[in-house]
């Protein structure tokens, strides 16, 4: 019993550790969290995989043993207890039972025996009558023997459940790992490069793993997470994924997803065709195939890479797909582009106004890509680029988010869309600002030399404007402020800065006007440009301003795509499942027997009174015992005594 | 034969007659269930048909075993139908809960739940007042408040069920899926189980103590509503779209409810024992039930809760097998359910095998509530968060 409680406590503690300490992370994460020393100690205690740790399994085995011992030890006594009526107890023994009463009756002994039997029977007791040598008769009653079965059921069920759990555990793998047969793979490599020691054949008794299969492809392997790596499980059948479908709520949350599967097994005459969905798996032999997740299956993407510092528009097309890594050689260095994800829908909450207009709580911002750009030193920037413009404060912008730390939210750059809802004007304008030759030409046109100033001053002024453009492109308006702070004595700073800003504005405006003219926007000399073009200009400057914090100077534009989804399947082989269910059913039945069936005994002893032979009076002794006394035991006992006493009986003693 | 006549003698005193009221009750439940099935059967699958039938049988049995449950059911049914009808009369739009008088002030799910909250708090005050004044009348008022609060809670849940479909057919689901919804289930379950024992043991003195837990839960509901807007009906994630939810969650909450009652009775036990130690003749001790009785109520509750918690855990495992692909994944919620289960298994073991009673068991029941609360709330607050970490 104490061992049992100790084991139960150990199980509880292990369980608590398993929930508080995040399980199955990479060892690197644990080192960051606990430092190298403790990370090592915890690792050798198996705390990162508590539920698979050898000592945990050992506790389970002990639990199994101790419960088995307990059941075998108790069985003989309990069986006897179930069968026995203890009808031969002496009157004295009866008077020592927890509840007892003695009184006299004027009925004949025979009548009282019949009454006693009838009473016990109507109260649900089984009875047995025993005639003693001295003429006394005991009617013994027993009720609720199922209670004892409750003990067996609950405890045997614990054994059954443990056996089922061990069948489904990775005990065999642990053994093979100990003998050196099995070494989990820790690298992310293609299947043919996985070491033979990390492969498992169909002889593996039980497993639970997952695999992502793109639409239109098939699989006959499965990946089992194991310690710090994974194993590859060969399946005895193959699964074709014909189609994957997903539906969304109007909130953008997935509503349901399902896959059309074809399961082919040489043992089957005909392949099994079935659609699985969450909560509706496919069962085959002792395998079960679940719809567990979904993702991108390598959507094909056509990207345009816009260099952000180039003086001419120099777009480089890039044909790639999700999960691919593309090397990128540029004049400013080599980069690796890792395409991580493609999302067809991006649902965002609508503004109050929009809600009032459309009645919708969410709207779709359209497709986006998630990717990382890594430089030669290994530093990475993560981006989220939207394909379509979205409306912000009545204007259309192409959003692109960037971050360098994954726990931080994206910082967004808003690229203003032109009147045609494209980025054309923006990149033209940018290229022009980047182009010193063109810039110089345009500035000279816009600010022709006047009579009042010398050639030298004029050249200086043009040069200043160009330098301001450079500063602006490199670091935005902040760059100009910085320059002033560094090079101008404090007294004059304010004045100089003001002058520089106005000069930059003139320069940028002139460049912008050139762009507008190229687009064919007619500008009468006295006329102002349209409101749209004005606001666009400010938005564009804002965007330029943010470019210095955008990471490597490239913008990836999603031109077109072909979505390929992947279904996330989970496949299990679980021979212990039915064993566990059987045990659970036993457990439930047992618990109810244990708590809601009470085992009770009643003895009614009827002794003829020798001294008073002329009248038929008998002395009746009633005794009762519950194997688990409860407050109602006594009340019920007294009720019973009252029933057996007729008004003529006069109680002599009641306890 | 004489034996027969004696048998007869005992029979008449023992058998409970199956009277007119029982027949009427059974008919009411059967007709009600049939009408519900007739109306909504097209949305139900075969398992849900079975659950409805099972619920009807359970209700007939419960009403016969505990007659006070009958009027409660009738009131809840009628008012829920009235609410559904009012929505229909307003064209089945959710904004009717702002226009129709009945809905706005009484029985739209949000109003009904607010009434429930208020009544539970008042009931707690009334119970303690009754204990203090030794007033029979105040006690009765408190009891009727708990009955009304339970009725409002049940109505709130029934109407919310319907409202989820009114908002959007896609959203429709039984309201036992979010933390907000199960908190309502929790207070109602706890209150009803408490009422049963109150009647059975004919004492109202434990009411205030039990209402402490309920009031705490009500406080949480209020905070959750006003600070977090948790009462807004959300659609279900695909994993929850299953008939399993309809039995797994309620079974669990019978467990949580009884464990809470046991803990609060344990608290009452400890206080009474403490006072009795100092002054055995104090009026407080005299007003409280005997220590033996409280000990017994504690045991009865834990035994009942343990049985249902066992069922709920097993059902949970079976559901997990279907939805997540494994009957046991050591997910934090699962694991903590196991810890709760092990804790009460140990409690029952010590009581049954070693015969422990009284104070240590009362303390243990009280500590058990902490473990239960962590499994119920703490896991959601502290542990599931660990999993939603983004990985780069
Ligand atoms: C559903 C849960 C369980 C219930 C209701 C339960 C009930 C009981 C009861 C009533 C007894 C006492 C038998 C008697 O003296 O009449 C007992 C004894 C015992 N139980 Fe359990 N039990 C449960 C689970 C477990 C578990 C999980 C273990 C695991 C080790 C266990 C191990 C034992 C042991 C070792 C004894 C003592 C037997 C002896 O001393 O010979 N029980 N249990």
């Amino acid at each position: 019993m104490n061992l049992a409680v100790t084991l139960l406590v150990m199980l509880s503690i292990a369980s608590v550790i398993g929930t508080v300490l995040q399980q199955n992370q990479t060892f690197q994460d644990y080192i960051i969290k606990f430092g190298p020393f403790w990370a090592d100690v915890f690792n050798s205690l198996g705390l990162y995989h508590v539920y698979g740790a050898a000592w945990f399994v050992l506790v389970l085995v002990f639990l199994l043993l101790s419960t088995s011992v307990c059941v075998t030890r108790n069985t003989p006594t309990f069986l006897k207890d179930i069968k026995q009526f203890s009808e031969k107890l002496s009157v004295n023994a009866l008077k020592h039972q927890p509840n007892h009463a003695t009184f006299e009756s004027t009925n004949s002994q025979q009548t009282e025996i019949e009454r006693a039997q009838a009473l016990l029977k109507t109260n649900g007791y089984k009875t047995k009558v025993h005639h003693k040598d001295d003429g006394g008769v005991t009617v013994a009653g027993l009720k609720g023997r199922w209670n004892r079965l409750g003990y067996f059921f609950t405890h045997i069920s614990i054994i059954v459940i443990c056996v089922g759990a061990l069948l489904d555990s990775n005990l065999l793998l642990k053994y093979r790992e100990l003998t050196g047969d099995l070494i989990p793979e820790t690298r992310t490599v293609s299947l043919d490069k996985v070491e033979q020691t990390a492969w498992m054949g169909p002889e593996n008794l039980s497993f639970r793993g997952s695999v992502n299969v793109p639409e239109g492809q098939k699989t006959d392997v499965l990946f089992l997470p194991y310690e710090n790596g994974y194993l590859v499980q060969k399946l005895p059948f193959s699964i074709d994924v014909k189609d994957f479908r997903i539906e969304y709520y109007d909130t953008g949350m997935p509503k349901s997803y399902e896959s059309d599967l074809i399961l082919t097994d040489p043992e089957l005459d005909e392949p099994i065709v079935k659609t699985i969905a969450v909560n509706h798996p496919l069962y085959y032999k002792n395998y079960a195939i679940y719809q567990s997740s979904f993702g991108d299956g390598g959507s094909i993407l056509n990207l345009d890479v816009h260099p952000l510092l180039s003086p001419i528009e120099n777009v480089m097309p890039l044909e790639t797909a999700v999960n691919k890594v593309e090397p990128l050689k540029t004049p400013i260095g080599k980069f690796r582009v890792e395409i991580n994800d493609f999302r067809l829908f991006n649902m965002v909450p609508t503004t109050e106004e929009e809600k009032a207009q459309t009645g919708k709580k969410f709207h779709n911002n359209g497709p986006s890509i998630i990717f990382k750009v890594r430089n030669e030193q290994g530093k990475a920037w993560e981006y989220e680029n939207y394909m379509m413009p979205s409306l912000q404060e009545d204007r259309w912008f192409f959003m692109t988010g960037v971050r360098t730390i994954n726990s931080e939210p994206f910082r967004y750059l808003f690229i203003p869309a032109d009147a045609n809802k494209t980025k054309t004007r923006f990149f033209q304008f940018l290229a022009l600002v980047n182009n010193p030759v063109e810039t110089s030409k345009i500035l000279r046109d816009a600010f022709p030399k006047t009579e009042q100033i010398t050639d030298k001053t004029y050249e200086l002024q043009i040069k200043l404007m160009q330098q301001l453009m450079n500063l602006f492109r490199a670091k935005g308006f902040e760059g100009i402020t910085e320059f002033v702070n560094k090079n101008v004595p404090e007294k004059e700073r304010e004045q100089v800065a003001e002058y520089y800003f106005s000069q930059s504005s003139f320069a940028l405006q002139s460049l912008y006007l050139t762009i507008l003219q190229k687009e064919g926007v007619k500008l009468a000399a006295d006329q102002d440009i349209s409101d749209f073009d004005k606001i666009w200009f400010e938005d564009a400057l804002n965007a330029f301003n943010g470019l210095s914090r955008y990471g490597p100077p490239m913008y990836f534009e999603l031109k077109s795509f072909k979505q390929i989804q992947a279904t996330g399947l989970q496949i299990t082989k679980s021979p212990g499942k039915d064993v566990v269910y059987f045990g659970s059913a036993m457990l439930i039945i047992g618990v109810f027997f244990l708590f809601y069936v009470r085992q009770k005994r009643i003895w009614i002893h009827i002794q003829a009174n020798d001294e008073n032979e002329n009248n038929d009076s008998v002395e009746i002794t009633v005794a009762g015992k519950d194997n688990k006394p409860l407050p109602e035991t006594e009340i019920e006992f007294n009720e019973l005594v009252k029933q057996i006493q007729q008004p003529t009986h006069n109680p002599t003693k009641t306890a | 034969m004489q034996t027969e006549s004696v048998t007869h003698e005992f029979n008449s005193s023992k058998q409970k007659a199956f009277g007119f009221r029982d027949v009427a009750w059974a008919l009411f439940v059967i007709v009600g269930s049939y009408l519900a099935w007739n109306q909504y059967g097209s949305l139900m699958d075969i398992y849900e048909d079975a659950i409805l039938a099972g619920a009807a049988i359970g209700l007939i049995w419960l009403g016969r075993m505990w007659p006070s449950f009958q009027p409660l059911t009738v009131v809840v049914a009628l008012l829920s139908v009235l609410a559904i009808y009012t929505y229909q009369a307003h064209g089945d739009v959710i904004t009717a809960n702002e226009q129709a008088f009945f809905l706005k002030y009484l029985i739209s799910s949000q109003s009904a739940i607010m009434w429930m909250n208020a009544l539970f708090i008042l009931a707690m005050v009334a119970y303690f007042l009754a204990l203090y004044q030794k007033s029979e009348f105040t006690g009765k008022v408190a009891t009727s408040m708990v009955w009304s609060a339970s009725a409002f809670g049940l109505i709130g849940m029934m109407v919310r069920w319907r409202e989820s479909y009114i908002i959007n057919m896609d959203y429709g689901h039984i309201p036992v899926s979010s933390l907000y919804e199960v908190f309502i289930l929790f207070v109602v379950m706890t209150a009803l189980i408490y009422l049963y024992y109150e009647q059975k043991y004919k004492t109202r003195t434990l009411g205030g103590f039990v209402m402490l837990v309920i009031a705490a839960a009500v406080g949480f509901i209020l905070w959750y509503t006003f600070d977090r807007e948790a009462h807004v009906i959300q659609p279900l994630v695909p994993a929850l779209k299953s008939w399993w939810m309809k039995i797994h969650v309620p079974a669990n909450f019978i467990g949580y409810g009884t464990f809470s009652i046991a803990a609060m009775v344990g608290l009452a036990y400890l206080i009474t024992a403490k006072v009795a130690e100092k002054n055995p003749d104090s009026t407080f001790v005299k007003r409280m039930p005997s220590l033996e009785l409280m000990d017994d109520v504690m045991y009865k509750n834990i035994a009942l809760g343990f049985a249902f918690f066992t069922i709920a855990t097993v059902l949970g495992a079976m559901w997990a097998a279907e939805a997540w692909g494994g009957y046991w994944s050591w997910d934090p919620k699962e694991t903590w359910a196991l810890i709760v289960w092990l804790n009460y298994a140990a409690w029952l073991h010590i009581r049954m095998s070693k015969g422990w009673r009284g104070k240590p068991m009362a303390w243990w029941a009280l500590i058990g509530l902490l473990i239960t609360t962590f499994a119920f709330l703490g896991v959601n607050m502290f542990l599931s968060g660990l999993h939603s970490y983004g990985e780069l």
Side-chain angles (χ1 to χ4, degrees), chain B residues 203-220:
Chain B
T203 171
R204 293 202 169 89
T205 46
L206 295 173
F209 294 94
V210 175
M211 289 305 130
L212 283 177
V213 171
I214 292 186
V218 164
F220 181 86

PDB file of all heavy atoms in Angstrom, chain B residues 203-220:
ATOM      1  N   THR B 203     -29.644  20.463   5.691  1.00  0.00           N
ATOM      2  CA  THR B 203     -28.921  21.540   6.373  1.00  0.00           C
ATOM      3  C   THR B 203     -28.518  22.607   5.361  1.00  0.00           C
ATOM      4  O   THR B 203     -28.064  22.289   4.263  1.00  0.00           O
ATOM      5  CB  THR B 203     -27.667  21.035   7.088  1.00  0.00           C
ATOM      6  OG1 THR B 203     -26.924  22.157   7.545  1.00  0.00           O
ATOM      7  CG2 THR B 203     -26.786  20.198   6.193  1.00  0.00           C
ATOM      8  N   ARG B 204     -28.727  23.870   5.741  1.00  0.00           N
ATOM      9  CA  ARG B 204     -28.363  24.961   4.843  1.00  0.00           C
ATOM     10  C   ARG B 204     -27.059  25.618   5.283  1.00  0.00           C
ATOM     11  O   ARG B 204     -26.588  26.547   4.658  1.00  0.00           O
ATOM     12  CB  ARG B 204     -29.462  26.017   4.827  1.00  0.00           C
ATOM     13  CG  ARG B 204     -30.748  25.526   4.212  1.00  0.00           C
ATOM     14  CD  ARG B 204     -31.602  26.669   3.723  1.00  0.00           C
ATOM     15  NE  ARG B 204     -32.688  26.174   2.917  1.00  0.00           N
ATOM     16  CZ  ARG B 204     -33.861  25.816   3.417  1.00  0.00           C
ATOM     17  NH1 ARG B 204     -34.090  25.900   4.708  1.00  0.00           N
ATOM     18  NH2 ARG B 204     -34.802  25.366   2.624  1.00  0.00           N
ATOM     19  N   THR B 205     -26.507  25.108   6.382  1.00  0.00           N
ATOM     20  CA  THR B 205     -25.361  25.808   6.956  1.00  0.00           C
ATOM     21  C   THR B 205     -24.111  25.719   6.088  1.00  0.00           C
ATOM     22  O   THR B 205     -23.204  26.528   6.231  1.00  0.00           O
ATOM     23  CB  THR B 205     -25.037  25.232   8.341  1.00  0.00           C
ATOM     24  OG1 THR B 205     -25.052  23.813   8.231  1.00  0.00           O
ATOM     25  CG2 THR B 205     -26.036  25.687   9.356  1.00  0.00           C
ATOM     26  N   LEU B 206     -24.063  24.720   5.195  1.00  0.00           N
ATOM     27  CA  LEU B 206     -22.862  24.592   4.363  1.00  0.00           C
ATOM     28  C   LEU B 206     -22.935  25.483   3.126  1.00  0.00           C
ATOM     29  O   LEU B 206     -21.962  25.640   2.405  1.00  0.00           O
ATOM     30  CB  LEU B 206     -22.671  23.130   3.952  1.00  0.00           C
ATOM     31  CG  LEU B 206     -22.377  22.168   5.113  1.00  0.00           C
ATOM     32  CD1 LEU B 206     -22.377  20.736   4.633  1.00  0.00           C
ATOM     33  CD2 LEU B 206     -21.040  22.514   5.746  1.00  0.00           C
ATOM     34  N   GLY B 207     -24.155  26.045   2.882  1.00  0.00           N
ATOM     35  CA  GLY B 207     -24.375  26.807   1.653  1.00  0.00           C
ATOM     36  C   GLY B 207     -23.382  27.934   1.446  1.00  0.00           C
ATOM     37  O   GLY B 207     -22.791  28.067   0.379  1.00  0.00           O
ATOM     38  N   GLY B 208     -23.169  28.736   2.492  1.00  0.00           N
ATOM     39  CA  GLY B 208     -22.269  29.881   2.352  1.00  0.00           C
ATOM     40  C   GLY B 208     -20.882  29.445   1.931  1.00  0.00           C
ATOM     41  O   GLY B 208     -20.241  30.083   1.081  1.00  0.00           O
ATOM     42  N   PHE B 209     -20.438  28.339   2.500  1.00  0.00           N
ATOM     43  CA  PHE B 209     -19.085  27.878   2.180  1.00  0.00           C
ATOM     44  C   PHE B 209     -18.981  27.457   0.722  1.00  0.00           C
ATOM     45  O   PHE B 209     -18.033  27.801   0.020  1.00  0.00           O
ATOM     46  CB  PHE B 209     -18.691  26.724   3.107  1.00  0.00           C
ATOM     47  CG  PHE B 209     -18.559  27.150   4.540  1.00  0.00           C
ATOM     48  CD1 PHE B 209     -19.625  27.036   5.419  1.00  0.00           C
ATOM     49  CD2 PHE B 209     -17.383  27.711   4.992  1.00  0.00           C
ATOM     50  CE1 PHE B 209     -19.518  27.446   6.728  1.00  0.00           C
ATOM     51  CE2 PHE B 209     -17.248  28.118   6.306  1.00  0.00           C
ATOM     52  CZ  PHE B 209     -18.322  27.999   7.179  1.00  0.00           C
ATOM     53  N   VAL B 210     -19.980  26.700   0.268  1.00  0.00           N
ATOM     54  CA  VAL B 210     -19.950  26.264  -1.131  1.00  0.00           C
ATOM     55  C   VAL B 210     -20.045  27.471  -2.066  1.00  0.00           C
ATOM     56  O   VAL B 210     -19.366  27.536  -3.092  1.00  0.00           O
ATOM     57  CB  VAL B 210     -21.082  25.252  -1.410  1.00  0.00           C
ATOM     58  CG1 VAL B 210     -21.130  24.890  -2.880  1.00  0.00           C
ATOM     59  CG2 VAL B 210     -20.884  24.007  -0.564  1.00  0.00           C
ATOM     60  N   MET B 211     -20.866  28.454  -1.645  1.00  0.00           N
ATOM     61  CA  MET B 211     -21.022  29.633  -2.504  1.00  0.00           C
ATOM     62  C   MET B 211     -19.713  30.431  -2.615  1.00  0.00           C
ATOM     63  O   MET B 211     -19.556  31.222  -3.522  1.00  0.00           O
ATOM     64  CB  MET B 211     -22.135  30.549  -1.980  1.00  0.00           C
ATOM     65  CG  MET B 211     -23.544  29.990  -2.140  1.00  0.00           C
ATOM     66  SD  MET B 211     -23.941  29.529  -3.831  1.00  0.00           S
ATOM     67  CE  MET B 211     -24.569  27.890  -3.568  1.00  0.00           C
ATOM     68  N   LEU B 212     -18.791  30.206  -1.671  1.00  0.00           N
ATOM     69  CA  LEU B 212     -17.500  30.903  -1.777  1.00  0.00           C
ATOM     70  C   LEU B 212     -16.821  30.550  -3.100  1.00  0.00           C
ATOM     71  O   LEU B 212     -16.339  31.423  -3.826  1.00  0.00           O
ATOM     72  CB  LEU B 212     -16.582  30.498  -0.619  1.00  0.00           C
ATOM     73  CG  LEU B 212     -16.850  31.128   0.742  1.00  0.00           C
ATOM     74  CD1 LEU B 212     -15.900  30.546   1.772  1.00  0.00           C
ATOM     75  CD2 LEU B 212     -16.672  32.631   0.656  1.00  0.00           C
ATOM     76  N   VAL B 213     -16.776  29.268  -3.406  1.00  0.00           N
ATOM     77  CA  VAL B 213     -16.152  28.846  -4.664  1.00  0.00           C
ATOM     78  C   VAL B 213     -16.925  29.401  -5.844  1.00  0.00           C
ATOM     79  O   VAL B 213     -16.363  29.908  -6.816  1.00  0.00           O
ATOM     80  CB  VAL B 213     -16.109  27.307  -4.762  1.00  0.00           C
ATOM     81  CG1 VAL B 213     -15.662  26.888  -6.146  1.00  0.00           C
ATOM     82  CG2 VAL B 213     -15.168  26.747  -3.748  1.00  0.00           C
ATOM     83  N   ILE B 214     -18.258  29.293  -5.729  1.00  0.00           N
ATOM     84  CA  ILE B 214     -19.082  29.753  -6.844  1.00  0.00           C
ATOM     85  C   ILE B 214     -18.898  31.250  -7.052  1.00  0.00           C
ATOM     86  O   ILE B 214     -18.759  31.722  -8.183  1.00  0.00           O
ATOM     87  CB  ILE B 214     -20.564  29.385  -6.588  1.00  0.00           C
ATOM     88  CG1 ILE B 214     -20.683  27.860  -6.648  1.00  0.00           C
ATOM     89  CG2 ILE B 214     -21.476  30.066  -7.582  1.00  0.00           C
ATOM     90  CD1 ILE B 214     -22.079  27.337  -6.564  1.00  0.00           C
ATOM     91  N   ALA B 215     -18.837  31.997  -5.935  1.00  0.00           N
ATOM     92  CA  ALA B 215     -18.662  33.443  -6.070  1.00  0.00           C
ATOM     93  C   ALA B 215     -17.315  33.763  -6.707  1.00  0.00           C
ATOM     94  O   ALA B 215     -17.204  34.678  -7.527  1.00  0.00           O
ATOM     95  CB  ALA B 215     -18.778  34.109  -4.704  1.00  0.00           C
ATOM     96  N   ALA B 216     -16.292  33.000  -6.332  1.00  0.00           N
ATOM     97  CA  ALA B 216     -14.983  33.216  -6.954  1.00  0.00           C
ATOM     98  C   ALA B 216     -15.079  32.987  -8.460  1.00  0.00           C
ATOM     99  O   ALA B 216     -14.558  33.772  -9.270  1.00  0.00           O
ATOM    100  CB  ALA B 216     -13.948  32.280  -6.340  1.00  0.00           C
ATOM    101  N   ALA B 217     -15.780  31.928  -8.838  1.00  0.00           N
ATOM    102  CA  ALA B 217     -15.938  31.644 -10.263  1.00  0.00           C
ATOM    103  C   ALA B 217     -16.736  32.744 -10.948  1.00  0.00           C
ATOM    104  O   ALA B 217     -16.430  33.148 -12.074  1.00  0.00           O
ATOM    105  CB  ALA B 217     -16.617  30.288 -10.457  1.00  0.00           C
ATOM    106  N   VAL B 218     -17.760  33.251 -10.244  1.00  0.00           N
ATOM    107  CA  VAL B 218     -18.557  34.344 -10.807  1.00  0.00           C
ATOM    108  C   VAL B 218     -17.672  35.567 -11.019  1.00  0.00           C
ATOM    109  O   VAL B 218     -17.741  36.244 -12.048  1.00  0.00           O
ATOM    110  CB  VAL B 218     -19.754  34.663  -9.889  1.00  0.00           C
ATOM    111  CG1 VAL B 218     -20.350  36.016 -10.230  1.00  0.00           C
ATOM    112  CG2 VAL B 218     -20.809  33.579 -10.001  1.00  0.00           C
ATOM    113  N   GLY B 219     -16.811  35.827 -10.026  1.00  0.00           N
ATOM    114  CA  GLY B 219     -15.871  36.941 -10.172  1.00  0.00           C
ATOM    115  C   GLY B 219     -15.026  36.767 -11.427  1.00  0.00           C
ATOM    116  O   GLY B 219     -14.831  37.716 -12.205  1.00  0.00           O
ATOM    117  N   PHE B 220     -14.576  35.572 -11.632  1.00  0.00           N
ATOM    118  CA  PHE B 220     -13.771  35.311 -12.830  1.00  0.00           C
ATOM    119  C   PHE B 220     -14.588  35.555 -14.098  1.00  0.00           C
ATOM    120  O   PHE B 220     -14.118  36.182 -15.046  1.00  0.00           O
ATOM    121  CB  PHE B 220     -13.250  33.866 -12.804  1.00  0.00           C
ATOM    122  CG  PHE B 220     -12.400  33.520 -13.985  1.00  0.00           C
ATOM    123  CD1 PHE B 220     -11.048  33.807 -13.971  1.00  0.00           C
ATOM    124  CD2 PHE B 220     -12.951  32.945 -15.117  1.00  0.00           C
ATOM    125  CE1 PHE B 220     -10.248  33.511 -15.064  1.00  0.00           C
ATOM    126  CE2 PHE B 220     -12.173  32.653 -16.215  1.00  0.00           C
ATOM    127  CZ  PHE B 220     -10.813  32.930 -16.193  1.00  0.00           C
TER     128      PHE B 220
END
